[in-house]
Each structure stands twice: as structure tokens, then as C-alpha cells.
């Protein structure tokens, strides 16, 4: 996995596959491993670029907080370094906030975008959810236990009721060779909870799919509706099943929606 310096920060990235370039942007505290299941399938059609946001994986962990606009500048700088723009991009959760900032401030680098389980700004419930997660991490709670406590927010009862599958999913945190540090998580969290894309979303003219699941309780459908209503060239799609981590729990449905949109935009 190569490294490049972007905005004074060393970022690890990887490119795989053959076809039009597709940038994948991970969520809060997640490295590029968040795309471990999806990226190989997407690489059958695209040149898939994954990377570790600053503060995660093998990228640098500079002092925080990390403003979402700065994370977006990192992603834009990586695209420019690779000389691949304009690219299609998918941003999941925090990655969706980063992608919204890119759409607003670096639109020339994007041919199309998918905001996956995204939100325009934090609600009091999301603030409380984040406070709880920070408290557990600061207390040194086992990462598997942290994962299990967070599962009801990101998976549906279909997975949660299968304790074997749920435990196996949580155990992945222990297998991460480059886990996110407390400092990196705190720095991302501080920037995320104050970000508000709403005033500038009407300026984002790149064709965008706002994709969410009907069962998402962490970033409810209403937040995707709000995003799509503010963007001049957005399409809203709500899948009938799936929560915040639907790309993990329902990968076939989620990837089909993503690739159908990207193919349609490429054809247009």
C-alpha cells in the first residue's frame, strides 16, 4: 500500500482493478478496511482507490481536531496526486460528510458521487451516540465490546438476532492490524460533530445519488431526504431493507444501486 504526502499529512492508499476511477471514502474511525468486502467487487468494473483518512490505518495522526473540510482537502489532494480526476466517489457516513465537502469545494474533481448513509449535520441523538462511544474508548473498554454495544445502531435485527454472526462481525475489530488510536478517533469526531453542509449544498452541482436504507436509525432517512432536497442534481434512493452498515449486511442490494447509478451517469 503506497504512501504520499498530501497537505503535509502522510496518507496510505491503494488502487486496484481496471476501468474508470472510483474513490471510496471511509466513515468515522474506519480505515480503508471498511471497504474490504465491497472494494474487490467494485474493482471488477472500476479502478478502485481506497485510502486511510488522516487519523486511521497507516496514515499519519497529526494533532486534532480534523475539520471535515480538511479531510476533504486530503481526498482531493490524493485525486490530484494520482492524476485520475474527475473521478466517481462513494462516501459512507463520515465519508459522506467528506464527500459533501468535496462536492461543494472540489466539484471539478468529481464526475459523480454516491452519499451512502450520510447526513448533513449532527442531531442531539447523534451527539449523544458519539459521546457514549468516546467515553467507552477513553475508558479503555475492549474494542470487541465497543463494537457489540454499537451494533444496534448500524445493523438490523436480522443480523443482531444471529449471535454467532454478530459476534464474528464484532471480532473483526480485534483482527485489525492497524487499529485507530484514541487520538485519531477523537480528532475525527471533533470535526464531524460540528460540520454542517446545508448552507452550501445548493452549490454542489455534481450528479449525486443519495442512498440510504429504510432501517437506518443512526442516520435516518429524513437526513438523506434533507440532503437530496438541497442539491440541484441529486437523486434519492431508499432501499427497503438495510441500516447504517447495509453495505456489509446487504452488499448485493447496496452495490447494485451504486453501480447502476454510476453506469447511468457514465452513459449520460
Amino acid at each position: 500500500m503506497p504512501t504520499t504526502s498530501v497537505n503535509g499529512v502522510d496518507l496510505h492508499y491503494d488502487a486496484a482493478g481496471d476501468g474508470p476511477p472510483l474513490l471510496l471514502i471511509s466513515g468515522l474511525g474506519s480505515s480503508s478496511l471498511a471497504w474490504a468486502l465491497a472494494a474487490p467487487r467494485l474493482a471488477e468494473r472500476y479502478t478502485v482507490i481506497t485510502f486511510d483518512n488522516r487519523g486511521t490505518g497507516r496514515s499519519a495522526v497529526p494533532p486534532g481536531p480534523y475539520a471535515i473540510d480538511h479531510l476533504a482537502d486530503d481526498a482531493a489532494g490524493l485525486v490530484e496526486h494520482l492524476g485520475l480526476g474527475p473521478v466517481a466517489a462513494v462516501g459512507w457516513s463520515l465519508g459522506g460528510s467528506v464527500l459533501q465537502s468535496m462536492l461543494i469545494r472540489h466539484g471539478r474533481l468529481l464526475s459523480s458521487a454516491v452519499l451512502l448513509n450520510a447526513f448533513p449535520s449532527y442531531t442531539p441523538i447523534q451527539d449523544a451516540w458519539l459521546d457514549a462511544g468516546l467515553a467507552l474508548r477513553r475508558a479503555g473498554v475492549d474494542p470487541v465490546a465497543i463494537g457489540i454495544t454499537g451494533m444496534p445502531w448500524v445493523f438490523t435485527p436480522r443480523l443482531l438476532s444471529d449471535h454467532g454472526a454478530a459476534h464474528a462481525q464484532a471480532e473483526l475489530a480485534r483482527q485489525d492490524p492497524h487499529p485507530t488510536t484514541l487520538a485519531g478517533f477523537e480528532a475525527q469526531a471533533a470535526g464531524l460533530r460540528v460540520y454542517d453542509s446545508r448552507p452550501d449544498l445548493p452549490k454542489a452541482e455534481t450528479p449525486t445519488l443519495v442512498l440510504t436504507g429504510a432501517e437506518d436509525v443512526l442516520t435516518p432517512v429524513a437526513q438523506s431526504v434533507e440532503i437530496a432536497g438541497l442539491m440541484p442534481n441529486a437523486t434519492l434512493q431508499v432501499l427497503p431493507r438495510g441500516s447504517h452498515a447495509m453495505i456489509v449486511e446487504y452488499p448485493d442490494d447496496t452495490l447494485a444501486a451504486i453501480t447502476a447509478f454510476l453506469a447511468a451517469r457514465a452513459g449520460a
Side-chain angles (χ1 to χ4, degrees):
M1 194 175 188
T3 302
T4 187
S5 180
V6 176
N7 301 320
V9 178
D10 288 342
L11 295 182
H12 274 266
Y13 69 94
D14 189 29
D18 185 26
L22 174 61
L23 180 72
L24 304 180
I25 311 174
S26 305
L28 174 62
S30 297
S31 70
S32 55
L33 284 177
W35 302 102
L37 295 177
R41 294 177 59 174
L42 290 168
E44 295 171 4
R45 305 185 184 199
Y46 303 96
T47 299
V48 174
I49 305 105
T50 55
F51 70 104
D52 298 336
N53 286 311
R54 65 169 73 185
T56 68
R58 285 178 283 178
S59 289
V61 188
Y66 305 157
I68 291 298
D69 285 346
H70 292 163
L71 295 176
D73 290 346
D74 290 348
L78 177 61
V79 171
E80 291 182 315
H81 167 76
L82 296 174
L84 292 175
V87 302
V90 181
W92 176 13
S93 197
L94 170 140
S97 297
V98 173
L99 185 50
Q100 286 174 76
S101 179
M102 289 184 72
L103 287 162
I104 293 164
R105 301 168 61 252
H106 301 285
R108 63 183 177 81
L109 296 175
L110 298 167
S111 58
S112 58
V114 179
L115 298 174
L116 177 63
N117 303 106
F119 48 92
S121 65
Y122 252 31
T123 67
I125 292 295
Q126 288 161 335
D127 265 318
W129 168 84
L130 184 56
D131 287 339
L134 285 165
L136 291 172
R137 286 167 174 82
R138 289 166 179 162
V141 173
D142 182 83
V144 172
I146 293 175
I148 290 172
T149 62
M151 277 187 168
W153 287 99
V154 298
F155 292 109
T156 71
R158 169 181 173 270
L159 185 139
L160 295 174
S161 62
D162 183 341
H163 284 197
H167 189 262
Q169 183 66 40
E171 277 289 337
L172 294 176
R174 207 188 307 279
Q175 299 168 23
D176 187 345
H178 304 284
T180 297
T181 63
L182 175 60
F185 189 93
E186 288 181 325
Q188 284 194 352
L192 179 62
R193 74 191 320 160
V194 298
Y195 182 66
D196 188 346
S197 65
R198 292 173 295 182
D200 296 315
L201 276 180
K203 304 174 187 175
E205 298 183 349
T206 304
T208 299
L209 174 64
V210 183
L211 179 63
T212 190
E215 299 169 286
D216 192 344
V217 293
L218 182 57
T219 55
V221 170
Q223 290 191 299
S224 288
V225 171
E226 186 175 18
I227 291 172
L230 289 169
M231 298 181 70
N233 293 310
T235 300
L236 174 67
Q237 184 174 359
V238 181
L239 298 184
R241 57 183 187 176
S243 187
H244 197 66
M246 64 188 192
I247 198 165
V248 175
E249 188 175 358
Y250 292 101
D252 292 345
D253 297 349
T254 308
L255 290 173
I258 291 170
T259 54
F261 175 79
L262 296 180
R265 292 312 314 165

